[in-house]
């Protein structure tokens, strides 16, 4: 579907289409909507009939979804297949004497335990996410039982009467019944930045071809730019146009998904090579192809860190909970990964680098003298402007609080009632208000100096009008440039007599320049320190602002931001495709940008290989927030902006972001520990199994033992989110991909295989023959079974000891336990894990899965082998870090 093109049968609900052509009184009558709004009974009836105002994407937050995900996944499915095959071979096809449910029971118990552990962790993560999300839930004004009340947007039903204002996000698909200078942006649906004026009259018959042509409909997700709207909800949730767009169509998968897919591809490549080898070798040497198939399936599970989603959720949930204590709400838990890998942060100037309190310093005529008329016209423009409120309008309106000025401005309003308006937008860069002025009407215009002056044909000084002249713009800059260089923001004020009582964009030509407004926006005291901290974390700062270049440069220079390379929006548009990535990469300050140009800068940085965050709070920042890898806003931002952000700051301060980045990197580092250490250790085990499958007359470990070892080890790894992370690890952005995973696996995996083979040799040629009284081939069937049990138990213990202890060795580039101590939970869980697993071999539970008690001599050998293994890995780790300059 082309951008902006409507497929009426799929996108706009037929119910909404029908009433777009219907009179308002007919709509109210057919939906039984009284002047009191819906009653509670009508609300419940409508909700049961038409559903809740929740998009399908929110299903991932339900308990049922998490239960299904905990018990239905590749690991669970393989366990279920093994259970079914074991049931067929050990129970259905076995004789009455040899029937045995032990293996089936153990596998089903593992299935239940793994599902419950994952469900517990997922519910814990859900609890954290729900608690934080409730703090910034989207709200809507609705008429219920004769009163206007504020409710969660999710509580709206078809038939509700709702009202929305500038800065709001339209909460459902709505047929408008009353509008007052209502302007909306439908960019979330169409990708176009055009501002549309809405009306409440029925549409004339005829087919519409774009969303813009439905003038009396407000679609869910649209942003209210200016004015007031009221209407009746006709579609909610999945029935809305917005709900009909899947996120897959609207937006490419985020960096988190791309990284996870990259890791999955590496693991699949290893499995695709090794699993067939294990199957063929086992089947050919043992002669039992069913057992070989079961064993190969178990090996496939063994190579996969199957609890990876759970460990990721635990790490990210812990990180988001920690950020919640630091005045930061993480709406999208995957954004924690974005914080960990973010290497560029784009910020708007106002409120981030400067304070939110902007002061009006000067109001002056065209020659720079103080002018009450300029202030009066600017006051009327700001007073009547219904667009999204901004700091500049607020600073102008504060003038009415000046001593002796209150009555003056009240009288001014009474003498100049409003007739019409064109609200501010970032293409025109100005706002226009039409008011009565005695016997005539005048158009009052306020906006960017260049945008206003280009529309002026004359100037006025002390009541005398003159032509603008060819050099008019340069004369203007003679007055304002000095103020701009001092870091002041300057607006131009112009007017134009107009005989009409309504206006169009074409009327904003032939204006008369009256004067200027100068505002001072002081840099924050904490901004310079915060920027230095972010740069120490190797996060580059890019300033993307709509302000004039000279203002932005002045502020950035005071804060120590490099201003050698700057670009304006106009200069950006002139760059060729080849020049764009090079210039954007080098530039630190981008000024005079439209919202569309901010998105262009972000996308170019992303194409250059950066993970980009964007911090903003204005409606003009919304497209950039949505396009960034990590969209960041503040709790005082408009609902539409907060809805689009991944992270909400309760305090607009870059120092808060520094803490968020560190928490993100800690969470990221702990996830990397689990993936790399587990995958490389499992890879080493699989290599050992390939060797054993070729040379041993039996399986080195049963399918159940291999799965149990893997499950128990992964369960221990759930403590990793609580591990300490070295400060040096958090200094650099971390990459989330499989690019280094394959290298890590190939390097450290074979080292464990080397010691596995040594253990095989000791067990097969020394320990087992010594205990059983001879080599395997010379023993009877009963002694052979004992031989196999001893061998499998020996390797089970060696695999478990090395896997658990290697966690301590590879969790840090430093010397473990001495230079870098693990957290107390990690130390306690891994120690108890080794003790428990070792004790398991001496219990009846261990005997059920084929494990048996080993003599003390084996444990002496085990300690020697493990120490030798750890020593070799320590040496290899030093060489690896020296060569690749990183570990995890």
């Amino acid at each position: 579907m082309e951008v902006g093109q409507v497929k009426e049968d799929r996108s706009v609900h037929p119910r909404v289409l029908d009433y777009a052509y219907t009179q308002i009184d007919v709509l109210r009558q057919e939906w039984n909507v009284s002047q009191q709004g819906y009653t509670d009974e009508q609300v419940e009836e409508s909700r049961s009939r038409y559903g809740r105002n929740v998009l399908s994407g929110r299903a991932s937050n339900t308990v049922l979804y998490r239960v299904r995900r905990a018990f239905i996944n590749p690991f669970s499915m393989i366990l279920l297949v093994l259970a079914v095959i074991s049931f067929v071979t050990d129970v259905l096809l076995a004789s009455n004497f040899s029937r045995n449910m032990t293996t089936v029971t153990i596998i089903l118990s593992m299935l239940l335990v793994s599902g419950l552990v994952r469900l517990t962790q997922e519910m814990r993560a859900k609890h954290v996410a729900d608690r934080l999300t409730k703090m910034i839930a989207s709200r809507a004004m609705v008429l219920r039982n004769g009163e206007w009340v504020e409710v969660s947007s999710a509580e709206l039903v078809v038939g509700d009467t709702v009202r929305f204002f500038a800065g709001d996000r339209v909460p459902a698909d709505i047929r408008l019944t009353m509008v007052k200078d209502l302007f909306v942006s439908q960019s979330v649906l169409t990708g176009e930045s055009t501002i549309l004026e809405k009306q409440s009259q029925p549409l004339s018959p005829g087919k519409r071809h774009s969303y813009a042509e439905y003038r009396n409909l407000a679609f869910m997700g649209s942003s209210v730019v200016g004015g007031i709207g009221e209407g009746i909800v006709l579609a909610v949730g999945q029935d809305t146009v917005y709900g009909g767009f899947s996120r897959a169509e609207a937006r490419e998968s985020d960096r988190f998904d791309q990284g996870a897919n990259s890791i999955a591809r590496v693991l699949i490549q290893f499995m695709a090579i090794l699993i067939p080898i294990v199957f063929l070798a086992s089947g050919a040497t043992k002669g039992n192809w069913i057992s070989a198939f079961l064993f190969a399936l178990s090996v496939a599970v063994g190579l996969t860190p199957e609890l990876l989603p759970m460990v990721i959720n635990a790490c990210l949930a812990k990180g988001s909970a920690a950020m919640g204590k630091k005045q930061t709400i993480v709406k999208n838990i995957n954004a924690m990964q974005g914080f960990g890998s973010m290497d560029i942060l784009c910020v708007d100037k106002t409120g981030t680098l400067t304070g939110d309190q902007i002061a009006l310093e000067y109001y002056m005529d065209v020659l720079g003298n103080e002018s009450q008329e300029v202030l009066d016209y600017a006051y009327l423009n700001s007073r009547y402007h219904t667009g999204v409120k901004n700091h500049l309008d607020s600073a102008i309106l504060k003038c009415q609080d000046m001593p002796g000025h209150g009555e003056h401005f009240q009288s001014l309003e009474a003498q100049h009632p409003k007739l019409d308006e064109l609200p501010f937008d970032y293409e025109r860069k100005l706002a226009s208000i039409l008011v009565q002025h005695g016997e005539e009407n005048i158009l009052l215009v306020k906006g960017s100096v260049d945008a206003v002056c280009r529309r002026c044909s004359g100037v006025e000084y002390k009541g005398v009008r003159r032509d603008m002249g060819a050099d008019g713009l340069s004369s203007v800059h003679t007055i304002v440039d000095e103020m701009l260089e001092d870091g002041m923001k300057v607006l131009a004020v112009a007017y134009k007599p107009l005989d009409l009582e309504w206006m169009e964009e074409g009327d904003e030509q032939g204006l008369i320049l009256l004067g200027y407004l100068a505002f001072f926006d002081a840099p924050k005291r904490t901004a310079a320190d915060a920027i230095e901290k972010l740069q120490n974390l190797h996060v580059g700062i890019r300033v993307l602002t709509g302000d004039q270049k000279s203002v932005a440069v002045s502020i950035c220079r005071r804060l120590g931001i490099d201003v050698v390379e700057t670009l304006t929006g106009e200069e950006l548009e002139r760059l060729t495709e080849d020049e764009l990535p090079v210039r954007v990469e080098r530039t630190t300050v981008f000024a005079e940008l439209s919202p569309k140009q901010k998105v262009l800068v972000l996308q170019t940085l992303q194409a250059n290989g950066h993970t980009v965050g964007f911090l903003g709070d204005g409606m003009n920042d919304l497209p950039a927030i949505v396009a960034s890898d990590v969209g960041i806003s503040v709790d005082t931002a408009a609902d539409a902006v907060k809805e689009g952000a991944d992270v909400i700051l309760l305090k607009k301060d870059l120092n808060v972001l520094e803490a968020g980045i560190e928490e993100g990197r800690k969470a990221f580092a702990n996830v990397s520990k689990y993936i790399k250490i587990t995958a490389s250790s499992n890879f080493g085990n699989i290599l050992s199994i390939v060797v054993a499958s070729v040379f041993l007359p039996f399986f080195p470990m049963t399918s159940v033992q291999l799965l149990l070892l893997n499950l128990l080890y992964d369960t221990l790894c759930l403590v990793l989110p609580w591990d300490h992370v070295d400060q040096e690890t958090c200094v650099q952005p971390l990459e989330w991909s499989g690019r280094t995973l394959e290298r890590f696996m190939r390097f450290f995996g074979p080292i464990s295989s080397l010691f596995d083979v040594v253990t095989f040799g000791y067990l097969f040629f020394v320990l087992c023959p010594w205990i059983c009284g001879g080599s395997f081939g010379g023993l009877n069937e009963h002694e052979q079974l004992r031989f196999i049990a001893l061998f499998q138990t020996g390797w089970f213990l060696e695999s478990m000891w090395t896997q658990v202890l290697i966690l301590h060795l590879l969790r840090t580039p430093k010397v473990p336990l001495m230079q870098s101590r693990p957290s107390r939970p990690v130390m306690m869980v891994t120690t108890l894990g080794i003790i428990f697993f070792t004790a398991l071999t001496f219990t009846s539970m261990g005997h059920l899965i084929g494990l048996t008690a080993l003599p003390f001599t084996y444990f002496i050998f085990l300690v020697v082998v493990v120490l030798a293994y750890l020593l070799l890995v320590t040496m290899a780790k030093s060489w690896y870090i020296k060569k690749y300059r990183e570990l995890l």
Side-chain angles (χ1 to χ4, degrees):
M1 186 173 73
E2 293 181 4
V3 174
Q5 191 71 21
V6 176
K7 287 188 176 180
E8 296 185 2
D9 60 335
R10 185 178 77 88
S11 294
V12 183
H13 197 280
R15 181 170 61 244
V16 181
L17 284 175
D18 290 343
Y19 287 102
Y21 301 93
T22 305
Q23 294 290 341
I24 295 172
D25 55 347
V26 175
L27 169 65
R28 291 185 180 277
Q29 182 179 353
E30 293 188 2
W31 284 92
N32 197 22
V33 180
S34 70
Q35 296 299 323
Q36 307 298 311
Y38 263 12
T39 63
D40 292 339
E41 292 77 13
Q42 286 177 303
V43 168
E44 290 304 321
E45 181 184 349
S46 179
R47 184 174 291 127
S48 63
R49 183 173 181 181
Y50 299 106
R52 290 172 55 82
N53 192 28
V54 178
L55 300 180
S56 61
R58 302 289 178 88
S60 59
N61 284 334
T62 64
V63 174
L64 181 61
Y65 173 85
R66 291 175 185 271
V67 170
R68 188 170 70 245
R69 194 166 76 168
F71 288 94
I72 302 177
N73 54 71
F75 178 63
S76 302
M77 291 300 97
I78 290 175
L79 283 176
L80 191 60
V81 169
L82 291 175
V84 170
I85 295 175
S86 295
F87 180 76
V88 171
T89 56
D90 294 349
V91 179
L92 294 183
L93 300 182
S95 62
N96 291 333
F97 177 75
S98 61
R99 280 179 182 169
N100 188 346
M101 283 286 293
T102 303
T103 303
V104 178
T105 304
I106 290 171
I107 293 176
L108 292 178
S109 299
M110 291 169 59
L111 180 62
L112 180 64
V113 169
S114 67
L116 288 176
V117 169
R118 177 166 180 170
L119 179 62
T120 301
Q121 195 63 55
E122 291 251 355
M123 292 305 296
R124 195 172 293 167
K126 178 184 184 301
H127 174 71
V128 171
D130 286 351
R131 178 171 57 82
L132 296 176
T133 303
K134 281 179 183 176
M135 298 173 64
I136 41 85
S138 178
R139 312 288 290 177
M141 289 293 296
V142 60
L143 183 62
R144 298 260 178 94
N145 302 306
E147 294 183 3
W148 285 101
V149 293
E150 188 177 62
V151 301
S152 167
S153 297
E155 298 302 314
L156 293 180
V157 299
V158 173
D160 263 332
T161 302
V162 296
R163 183 179 288 170
F164 36 85
F165 307 88
D168 288 348
R169 176 180 172 273
V170 178
D173 281 1
I174 294 166
R175 165 67 163 89
L176 296 168
T177 57
M178 186 280 291
V179 298
K180 184 178 179 182
D181 296 322
L182 180 64
F183 293 83
V184 303
S185 166
Q186 297 178 166
S187 60
V188 70
L189 302 176
T190 66
E192 298 173 351
S193 58
T194 307
I195 305 299
L196 304 171
E197 184 173 13
K198 293 292 184 177
Q199 61 182 28
S200 58
Q201 291 79 19
L203 299 179
S204 58
K207 188 175 181 180
R208 265 65 186 176
H209 299 283
S210 70
Y211 295 118
E213 295 181 66
Y214 291 97
R215 293 285 184 177
N216 61 356
L217 299 179
F219 298 110
M220 176 190 254
S222 301
S223 305
V224 182
V225 176
I228 302 172
E230 191 176 300
I232 296 173
V233 174
L234 290 180
V236 295
Q238 199 64 21
D239 288 341
T240 63
V241 173
Y242 186 73
F245 292 150
S246 68
R247 290 190 73 85
E249 290 176 327
R251 185 177 179 181
E252 294 180 7
S253 62
D254 56 30
R255 295 293 179 94
F256 182 87
D257 294 330
Q258 293 170 8
N261 292 338
S262 173
I263 290 167
R265 281 195 296 271
V266 172
L267 296 175
I268 289 171
Q269 288 171 4
F270 277 91
M271 280 196 289
I273 296 171
L274 293 175
I275 303 311
I277 295 175
V278 171
F279 173 65
L280 294 173
S282 299
T285 56
K286 311 323 182 267
N288 188 334
W289 291 97
I290 293 179
S291 296
F293 175 71
L294 292 176
F295 189 67
L297 274 180
S298 305
V299 168
V301 175
L303 185 58
T304 309
E306 61 277 348
L307 298 189
L308 174 61
M310 186 168 25
V311 173
I312 290 175
N313 268 346
C315 288
L316 300 185
K318 181 180 179 296
S320 62
M323 288 180 67
K325 297 175 183 177
K326 298 178 180 180
Q327 300 183 304
T328 304
I329 299 171
V330 181
K331 282 176 54 186
N332 177 6
I333 198 171
N334 290 352
M336 287 300 302
Q337 178 274 328
F339 266 124
S341 54
M342 182 170 69
D343 59 344
I344 286 183
L345 175 65
C346 297
V347 299
D348 191 6
K349 179 183 70 65
T350 305
T352 304
L353 303 180
T354 60
D356 280 330
Q357 299 300 318
I358 297 177
L360 175 61
E361 293 287 321
Y362 307 110
Y363 40 94
M364 62 200 111
D365 60 27
V366 291
L367 294 184
N369 306 304
E370 185 173 304
S371 170
Q372 183 64 40
E373 187 178 19
V374 170
L375 178 59
D376 288 348
Y377 282 9
Y379 176 86
L380 289 172
N381 182 286
S382 296
R383 180 67 182 84
Y384 290 133
H385 183 234
T386 61
V388 180
K389 296 304 177 187
N390 58 75
H391 302 304
L392 301 178
D393 281 337
S394 298
I396 294 170
L397 294 176
K398 282 182 180 178
C399 292
Q400 64 185 322
D401 299 327
M402 293 189 301
H405 283 68
E407 291 184 7
H408 167 75
F409 286 114
Q410 287 179 6
S411 174
L412 193 67
E413 288 182 48
Q415 296 170 14
H416 298 84
K418 175 184 173 183
L419 298 174
D420 198 9
E421 81 167 304
L422 285 175
F424 179 88
D425 69 58
Y426 290 90
E427 297 299 324
R428 291 163 40 248
K429 295 185 178 181
L430 48 85
S432 298
I433 305 291
L434 183 64
V435 298
Q436 285 185 9
H437 182 64
E439 297 298 322
E440 63 177 357
N441 301 331
I442 59 171
L443 179 64
L444 307 178
V445 179
K446 176 179 93 270
S448 158
V449 171
D450 286 350
V452 172
C453 291
R454 287 195 188 100
R455 290 170 167 81
C456 290
S457 59
V459 298
E460 182 174 310
Y461 177 66
K462 291 185 176 182
V464 180
R465 297 179 188 175
R466 295 181 176 85
D467 289 339
M468 188 77 164
D471 60 344
L473 195 57
S474 60
S475 300
V476 167
H477 279 284
T478 302
I479 301 296
V480 304
D481 279 357
E482 186 175 346
M483 291 182 287
L484 294 174
E485 289 169 3
D486 287 339
M488 288 187 173
K489 183 173 180 65
V490 181
L491 298 182
V493 177
Y495 78 99
K496 174 184 177 181
L498 202 63
D499 294 334
L500 305 173
E501 293 189 358
W502 51 271
M503 59 177 175
E504 299 175 344
E505 272 193 42
D507 296 322
E508 296 175 325
Q509 300 292 337
L511 303 176
I512 301 165
L513 180 64
L514 194 62
Y516 315 104
L517 304 168
F519 305 82
F520 186 62
D521 191 11
K524 279 186 176 179
R525 294 182 179 179
T526 60
D529 181 51
I531 289 171
E532 184 179 355
K533 290 178 180 176
L534 290 172
Q535 289 172 339
N536 290 338
L537 290 172
H538 294 87
V539 176
I541 300 293
R542 301 289 189 274
V543 178
L544 277 62
T545 179
D547 284 349
Q548 292 103 323
K549 176 180 176 180
S550 49
V551 175
V553 168
S554 174
I555 296 294
C556 292
R557 186 180 289 121
R558 297 184 199 184
L559 295 173
I561 298 175
D562 182 16
V563 294
V564 174
E565 293 282 351
T566 60
L567 273 176
T568 64
E570 188 177 335
E571 292 167 344
L572 191 70
E573 291 292 336
R574 292 202 298 264
L575 295 177
T576 66
E577 287 187 10
D578 293 333
E579 292 172 332
L580 183 65
V582 178
R583 290 293 304 276
V584 168
E585 184 71 26
R586 295 202 311 245
T587 303
T588 52
V589 179
F590 299 84
E592 301 171 30
L593 297 182
S594 67
K596 188 176 180 180
Q597 289 168 335
K598 289 183 180 181
V599 173
L600 175 62
V601 172
L602 252 70
Q603 291 175 338
T604 304
L605 289 170
Q606 289 169 331
N608 286 354
H610 296 288
T611 300
V612 185
F614 186 91
L615 170 60
D617 64 348
M619 290 293 290
N620 60 316
D621 296 323
L622 180 57
I625 286 174
V626 173
S628 64
D629 296 307
V630 186
I632 309 163
S633 191
V634 293
D635 65 332
T636 55
D639 282 347
V641 179
K642 290 193 289 187
E643 188 76 19
D646 300 308
V647 177
I648 307 294
L649 304 183
L650 300 182
K651 181 179 179 183
K652 194 171 183 181
D653 189 340
L654 290 177
N655 285 299
V656 177
L657 274 184
E658 180 216 0
I661 290 169
E662 288 186 336
E663 287 295 339
R665 290 182 183 177
K666 287 177 184 177
F668 190 98
N670 283 331
V671 170
S672 293
K673 287 177 191 176
Y674 171 74
I675 295 173
K676 289 190 173 181
I677 296 173
T678 302
S680 63
S681 181
N682 289 351
F683 174 55
N685 285 346
I686 305 309
L687 284 181
S688 305
I689 287 172
V690 171
V691 174
S693 299
V694 174
F695 294 103
L696 291 178
F698 53 82
F699 294 114
M701 209 182 288
T702 66
S703 301
V704 174
Q705 290 168 354
L706 188 59
L707 289 170
L708 180 64
L709 175 66
N710 205 33
L711 176 63
L712 293 175
Y713 169 74
D714 280 342
T715 304
L716 287 183
C717 288
L718 288 177
V719 78
L720 279 177
W722 288 265
D723 190 20
H724 294 152
V725 177
D726 297 335
Q727 187 63 39
E728 292 82 355
T729 304
C730 295
V731 170
Q732 294 278 359
L734 302 173
E735 182 184 6
W736 172 248
S737 77
R739 187 180 63 85
T740 59
L741 176 60
E742 182 177 355
R743 182 181 72 200
F744 194 93
M745 290 173 67
R746 283 189 282 104
F747 187 87
F748 289 103
I751 298 177
S752 71
S753 296
L754 175 64
F755 287 89
D756 284 340
V757 171
V758 171
T759 304
F760 289 164
Y762 173 75
L763 289 170
F764 192 81
F765 294 110
V766 180
L767 184 69
C768 295
W770 173 62
I771 296 175
C772 297
S775 62
F776 182 80
L779 300 175
N780 59 39
E781 184 177 353
H782 176 74
E783 288 298 324
Q784 282 185 344
L785 291 176
R786 188 185 178 202
F787 189 104
I788 293 172
L790 288 167
F791 186 98
Q792 291 174 342
T793 303
W795 192 45
F796 180 90
L797 287 176
E798 189 262 351
S799 292
M800 182 269 298
W801 277 47
T802 54
Q803 275 192 297
V804 173
L805 292 175
I806 205 65
L807 268 176
H808 290 278
L809 206 61
L810 294 182
R811 57 169 289 276
T812 172
K814 299 179 179 179
V815 177
L817 303 178
M818 296 174 64
Q819 294 179 331
S820 176
R821 294 181 64 84
S823 65
R824 185 172 298 176
V826 171
M827 196 71 196
M828 183 174 66
V829 168
T830 52
T831 303
L832 291 177
I834 289 178
I835 295 172
F836 173 79
F837 291 164
T838 304
L840 181 67
T841 61
F842 294 92
T843 65
S844 57
M845 186 184 298
H847 297 159
L848 286 176
I849 58 172
L851 299 177
T852 188
L854 290 171
F856 181 71
T857 24
Y858 173 75
F859 289 96
I860 296 175
F861 166 80
L862 182 59
V863 169
V864 172
V865 166
V866 169
L867 287 176
Y869 172 58
L870 296 179
L871 179 62
L872 184 57
V873 170
T874 301
M875 296 167 60
K877 182 177 77 171
S878 299
W879 187 87
Y880 184 91
I881 294 172
K882 186 176 181 180
K883 181 175 181 180
Y884 298 111
R885 300 183 182 278
E886 64 176 7
L887 181 62
L888 297 172

